[in-house]
Every structure is written in structure tokens, then in C-alpha cells.
Amino acid sequence: MHPLFHVASPEVTLDLVQDFINLKIREGLTVEYKRAGDKPIEAVAALANTYGGLLFVGVDEAAEKGVPSDIRGVPLGAKEKLVNQMGTGFDPPWSPEVIEVPCNEQGDKVVLVVRIDRATVPRPIVLNGTIFVRLDARNEKANRQMMRMLLDDPSSQPEPRPSSVTRRLNVHESPFRVEAADPDVVLRASSTMRLWEGQERTRFPSGLAATVIEALQGTRALPLLRHLGLALVDGVQVALTPWQLVDATSRRLQLRMSTAGTDGSAPSYPGAQMTCTVALRGSELEVLFDTAFWLQPGVPLGLAALLQVFYDSVPIAANRLLPHVAEATVGLKAMPVPLTEIHIASGNRVDGYGDITPVGLEDILALDSLGERVGGRSINWGGETVLRSLVDPPHWDDAVDEALVTMAMDWGFPDPKYPGPLFAGSNGG
């Protein structure tokens, strides 16, 4: 993701804007370029009601329509004019971030960078009685069906409601098969993006598996699995299988990587396995990133390892994989803020007679380090939505911390204290 989407406003310089323009990203669902006097307020409303994105005011288009060429700039005062228009024209009142960037030596011209975060928009935004939406590279008036979608879409809320936690490990794409070989505990990071009206797809493009594998190669998944394997077997060297495609249809891909035993078995016992599932479900793109553990009997999984898995896997799903899948599937080069969830679940034990015994998380996670727990009910799973306001590359750890604290409070820990992560390292995905 280009830094222009997330750096602080004072860090948005002309060089950074020029770097984005040099990429020659064509106008689309989330990017638009406007010269002076081209009704930028309609573009703001359309982007806000669809996926959000970036609007540049004061940029010429090349001979090839929709492709940026030169930064022309607009006169000083253009920002104030646009902000005033939004203040009087939008219902409900709302204004995105408008950054003024000087673009000539005389200091009388600026380029405006308007950053529209869909998660902060009180949708639908009505502009002078009209609802605009973004269709491909056009700003169009919404028809009745589009208006109904905007009014009914729960993802239009600035923060998702707790009921939006839908990708529970024991319900959705469950890795547990009620077999003796089931993992003891699984941690999931999921990230989804709803496709807009007219952008639905009936299948993934061919070659998507190679795109996903390439995206995974540049993440912290491999070093994380190596560290987890070492921690599970007390420092004994473990081998790793590479990412392998284990299931593929036109609407679903699944890839897997595991620690491997000396006999070549994968996963090793004890050991860990990562599974990446990419799916197209109706009008949603979905990425599930599951980390499964097979533990030594009587040795619980430490919370430092749990924390590290989520620190690394949440940005892998939301900031790395989902943008690649969205670009390959619908051509989105600028992502809206995705709906991201984290989940934990324990498996069941199956004895020699085939009887199933539920295993509580308190038996396989070192929950005692969270503090004093109240209530005696067994804990079998946990799930929480990550705050969209924190899903930004500088704030991944804060987003995970907030969700895990809420989850621990639901388990009965009134003032949970998580330890530090398992090991130091980059966690941007």
C-alpha cells in the first residue's frame, strides 16, 4: 500500500504526491484526479458512499483518459472553498481529510489530496439532495437499489457492531473434524471486503493461486512458523514445508505450510501449521489465516506466542493478502478499510472408544497470566472484531491488543494483562 494512504498529514509532501502520480494508476473505484473547477465535491461524495479512497485536485490527465500526467495545481483558497462546499452541501455534515500541498516555487499553487476513509463516513452522504456512488471510474447518481444497499449495509457503520463477528472457528470453515489428529488450539485472523453493486464476481481470475503464494512469500509467516516450531519443541531444530496449494476451485483457494517431523510427517507433533483460505462468497472477498497448534501433553501454549501470532497474522490477512486478492479480482488498487476479526478455539479430544471430550481453552492456554478470573464456566472459544479506527499500518499492534483485551474480559478477566510478544520483529504483514 502506498504511504500516501496512511502517513500523517505533515508528512504528505510534493515528492510523495509525485511518486504516486508516477505510478500512473488509472482512475477507478478508489482513485480520481481532478483539474480545477471539475466539481471535486461530487467525487468526494461518490468515493465516500462506495469504497473511500484518494482524490487529487489539481492534476491533469494524460492523453489516455483516466491516467494522471502533470501536477498543474489549483489556486490558494481552493481547499477552503471545497471544505465550505462540503460543510453546506453534505447531509449529514461530514468532511474528509483535505491536505494542501504547495506545488510551485511562487507558492501560489497547491495540489489538494483528499483522503476518504470509508470507516469514518456516516453513509449515505447526500449532496444537495442527491446520492452519488462510484461505478468504475465514474461518479453516478445512485438508483433505488443502490440507495437501499447504502441504507441497509451494516458495514457502513463507522465501527462494526459486535454481532458482525461471523467467522468463528467452530462454525465457519472449521479446521476441526472431530478426529484424533485435530489440533489442540487454532488462532484465526480473518479479513473481508464487500464488493459494490456491479462489481460482483462469479469466479476468481485464473492464476490467483500464484498471486497469493507470491504475496505470502513476502510476509512474516515463514519466520513466525519457524520461531513457533522452535518454541514448541524447546529449541530442537524443525523443518518446514513450503506453502502448498491443497484445495482449489473457481471461488475458493486453500494453501498450507507446516512444521515437519524427522520422518517427514507434516505437521510435526508437537508442531504448528498455517492455513490460508481465500474465498469469493456472494458479494464478499474473504481471507482466513489460521495458525493451528499440536501441543505437548500438559504444556499449555503461552500467551506470548498467542500475541505474536495475532501481531503478525492480522496484517498478513488485512494489509497484505486481501489487497492483492482485491486487485487481482476486481482491479482495486486502493483498499477500503476491511472488516477484520480475530478468533481462538480449542478442539475436542477423542479417546480410544471414539468418545468426544470438549477441551477448554483454560486447559491449553496459559490464561492464569491474565490475572484473577471470576466465574467458573468453561471457555471453548473467543472472537472479536478489530476496531476499524485502529486498522492502519502504524497501529496493528494496538488493534490486536484492544481486541484481545475485550476477548479476555468476556472470558471473566476484569483487568487482563497480556505479556510481551514471543520475539521481536516487523509486524506490518
Side-chain angles (χ1 to χ4, degrees), residues 204-234:
F204 281 132
S206 61
L208 182 64
T211 299
V212 174
I213 291 176
E214 182 180 358
L216 285 167
Q217 302 291 4
T219 70
R220 283 200 52 79
L222 182 64
L224 174 61
L225 185 62
R226 182 177 292 114
H227 279 274
L228 293 174
L230 290 172
L232 290 170
V233 295
D234 296 327

Side-chain angles (χ1 to χ4, degrees), residues 38-207:
D38 278 351
K39 296 183 180 180
I41 189 171
E42 291 185 4
V44 174
L47 290 165
N49 281 329
T50 315
Y51 285 126
L54 290 177
L55 167 66
F56 298 87
V57 183
V59 174
D60 277 346
E61 293 182 26
E64 185 180 359
K65 184 174 175 57
V67 177
S69 58
D70 302 319
I71 297 177
R72 175 189 294 268
V74 292
L76 285 172
K79 174 182 177 179
E80 182 179 2
K81 180 180 178 181
L82 178 58
V83 171
N84 288 340
Q85 286 178 337
M86 291 187 294
T88 58
F90 283 166
D91 182 22
W94 169 80
S95 179
E97 185 180 21
V98 183
I99 305 169
E100 193 176 53
V101 183
C103 64
N104 67 347
E105 294 181 358
Q106 292 78 17
D108 59 351
K109 289 290 187 70
V110 296
V111 59
L112 301 183
V113 180
V114 186
R115 296 198 291 200
I116 301 161
D117 180 358
R118 178 188 175 186
T120 67
V121 180
R123 297 166 69 214
I125 291 292
V126 181
L127 172 60
N128 299 325
T130 300
I131 296 177
F132 288 92
V133 294
R134 192 80 174 154
L135 295 179
D136 196 13
R138 309 185 313 278
N139 304 317
E140 299 284 353
K141 294 180 180 180
N143 60 29
R144 183 174 298 179
Q145 184 178 5
M146 294 174 185
M147 290 182 189
R148 187 179 298 114
M149 286 179 62
L150 284 167
L151 292 169
D152 295 341
D153 181 9
S155 67
S156 68
Q157 303 299 320
E159 292 293 349
R161 297 189 293 265
S163 60
S164 64
V165 176
T166 59
R167 286 155 178 85
R168 285 179 51 181
L169 278 154
N170 289 321
V171 177
H172 185 75
E173 288 275 356
S174 176
F176 303 110
R177 301 288 181 258
V178 195
E179 298 173 354
D182 279 356
D184 294 300
V185 62
V186 181
L187 313 181
R188 166 173 291 174
S190 74
S191 198
T192 59
M193 185 190 75
R194 186 165 185 177
L195 300 177
W196 184 248
E197 176 79 10
Q199 291 294 318
E200 301 94 335
R201 291 291 186 272
T202 58
R203 62 174 178 81
F204 281 132
S206 61

Side-chain angles (χ1 to χ4, degrees), residues 187-188 302-314 341-344 361 365 367 370 382-387 390 396-413 415-421:
L187 313 181
R188 166 173 291 174
L303 290 187
L306 176 148
L307 195 66
Q308 188 68 60
V309 168
F310 283 127
Y311 274 1
D312 286 335
S313 62
V314 166
E341 303 171 12
I342 61 172
H343 294 273
I344 304 171
L361 286 173
L365 294 179
L367 297 182
L370 290 175
E384 189 61 38
T385 301
V386 174
L387 289 176
L390 293 176
W396 292 116
D397 293 359
D398 293 339
V400 168
D401 289 342
E402 177 76 20
L404 283 173
V405 165
T406 302
M407 193 185 301
M409 293 174 68
D410 289 339
W411 289 341
F413 295 93
D415 187 22
K417 297 291 190 297
Y418 280 92

Side-chain angles (χ1 to χ4, degrees), residues 283-299:
S283 60
E284 284 189 335
L285 290 176
E286 171 187 82
V287 171
L288 305 177
F289 195 93
D290 294 345
T291 304
F293 293 88
W294 289 260
L295 305 173
Q296 296 187 51
V299 180

Side-chain angles (χ1 to χ4, degrees), residues 19-32:
D19 182 70
F20 188 95
I21 299 302
N22 291 343
L23 295 175
K24 302 300 181 184
I25 295 176
R26 184 185 295 274
E27 286 185 333
L29 290 172
T30 55
V31 176
E32 180 156 359

